[in-house]
Amino acid sequence: MNEYKSENHEYFIDGNLIPSVTKVLPRQNFFCTPDQLEAARVEGVENHSFIKLFFDTGDTYDNQMLIDLEILLKEINYLTGGFTWNEDPLFSVKHKFAGTPDVVFEKAIIDFKRSAGNKK
């Protein structure tokens, strides 16, 4: 049985704790202060909430990031195919890891990341 505990961001297969995708990927080297890291984390949580709301409702709420996302998705629809679901965990029983992709399309999985400068 697969289980995801969102409060601790933990994934389990048959009761055994397994690593997330983030933990199995090579560690990224970047340098910032703890305050900058926390501000980026808070901004990321907020942005992901807006993106989930967009996919749940189809509304951009006049938010520029969501307006740009809507434009981008129309431009790359031939690569992604139709929207399937978002923010639900996926488990690899074979490889013993799991993750929660931001959006799953018919032909693509997208995980949104923050970048410096132009959020588009």
Side-chain angles (χ1 to χ4, degrees):
M1 179 176 128
N2 300 335
E3 181 183 9
Y4 172 63
K5 293 185 179 180
S6 61
E7 62 276 1
N8 296 331
H9 197 77
E10 293 178 330
Y11 300 88
F12 296 84
I13 294 177
D14 296 329
N16 296 307
L17 178 66
I18 60 168
S20 68
V21 171
T22 305
K23 293 204 166 109
V24 299
L25 291 174
R27 184 147 173 83
Q28 299 298 307
N29 291 323
F30 63 92
F31 302 95
C32 62
T33 68
D35 288 343
Q36 290 170 321
L37 185 60
E38 177 60 14
R41 186 195 67 76
V42 169
E43 182 183 8
V45 168
E46 182 178 288
N47 287 344
H48 277 75
S49 294
F50 279 124
I51 292 168
K52 181 171 180 4
L53 189 62
F54 168 76
F55 282 105
D56 289 347
T57 67
D59 196 334
T60 63
Y61 302 93
D62 292 324
N63 176 296
Q64 191 59 51
M65 178 185 67
L66 297 180
I67 292 167
D68 291 340
L69 176 59
E70 182 177 50
I71 292 167
L72 173 68
L73 292 174
K74 287 178 183 174
E75 290 174 0
I76 66 169
N77 181 263
Y78 69 99
L79 294 172
T80 62
F83 170 78
T84 305
W85 51 266
N86 63 317
E87 296 292 343
D88 281 331
L90 289 175
F91 296 81
S92 174
V93 174
K94 177 180 179 182
H95 299 291
K96 303 285 190 251
F97 70 92
T100 303
D102 296 331
V103 186
V104 177
F105 294 91
E106 293 169 338
K107 300 189 280 184
I109 296 174
I110 296 179
D111 198 62
F112 295 101
K113 297 298 179 198
R114 179 183 184 272
S115 65
N118 185 347
K119 289 185 182 180
K120 184 177 179 184

